[in-house]
Amino acid sequence: MPHIMIIQKSIPNEEWKEILTPLQYKILREGGTEKAFTGELLNNHEKGVYVCVACGNELFSSETKYDSKTGWPSFYSPISENSFIIKPNSGSINASEVICAKCGGHHGHVFTDGPEPTGLRFCMNSAALKFKKK
Ligand code: FE
């Protein structure tokens, strides 16, 4: 996907450092994870859309949000199959990495212990998301 590569290259990390908060930078640009049960959107039950805090890419609908009891906002499906790039089994944990398809930012991981109808659990960092109320 050449389009994505162009966007990623167009914003160097020095610039991201100015755009993002330190926590957002740690998650999105360094693959970090926020502390469980600390995210502002963890218990948000309002109807709307969750977008990438860095680039505004639409990622999740509130319709697919559920309480996974893990301490991180969880969804069983992205809003579109083009929302993310999924990197299979990356890093130390046994899950696939979930990357914003528009800005290349790390958002979290997807596990296969989610609820019906997909059986997937998109385990996300609240700090990397922005909620847009419907
Ligand atoms: Fe993004």
Side-chain angles (χ1 to χ4, degrees):
M1 291 207 188
H3 178 62
I4 291 153
M5 297 307 290
I6 290 161
I7 292 169
Q8 272 184 279
K9 277 183 185 162
S10 70
I11 302 181
N13 275 343
E14 297 75 63
E15 244 172 83
W16 279 124
K17 255 183 190 155
E18 285 167 27
I19 298 165
L20 304 171
T21 68
L23 179 60
Q24 288 166 349
Y25 184 88
K26 197 184 149 203
I27 296 163
L28 287 157
R29 307 314 307 176
E30 298 183 330
T33 304
E34 72 193 8
K35 267 186 94 177
F37 298 101
T38 61
E40 266 177 43
L41 297 170
L42 176 61
N43 295 313
N44 180 38
H45 299 299
E46 293 202 274
K47 279 191 171 38
V49 173
Y50 294 83
V51 305
C52 176
V53 79
C55 76
N57 188 21
E58 293 198 350
L59 303 177
F60 298 103
S61 159
S62 56
E63 313 267 306
T64 63
K65 192 173 189 284
Y66 74 101
D67 184 6
S68 66
K69 319 270 185 212
T70 58
W72 291 283
S74 301
F75 304 82
Y76 62 75
S77 171
I79 207 163
S80 149
E81 58 181 38
N82 300 319
S83 295
F84 293 113
I85 299 166
I86 307 291
K87 224 167 132 189
N89 288 316
S90 77
S92 52
I93 57 171
N94 190 23
S96 298
E97 187 183 358
V98 176
I99 298 160
C100 176
K102 211 166 154 188
C103 72
H106 168 92
H107 273 267
H109 293 88
V110 58
F111 299 80
T112 53
D113 57 8
E116 293 295 315
T118 62
L120 298 175
R121 169 168 60 97
F122 284 79
C123 189
M124 297 294 105
N125 287 280
S126 179
L129 298 171
K130 191 171 143 189
F131 180 67
K132 286 189 165 175
K133 202 175 164 177
K134 211 180 244 175

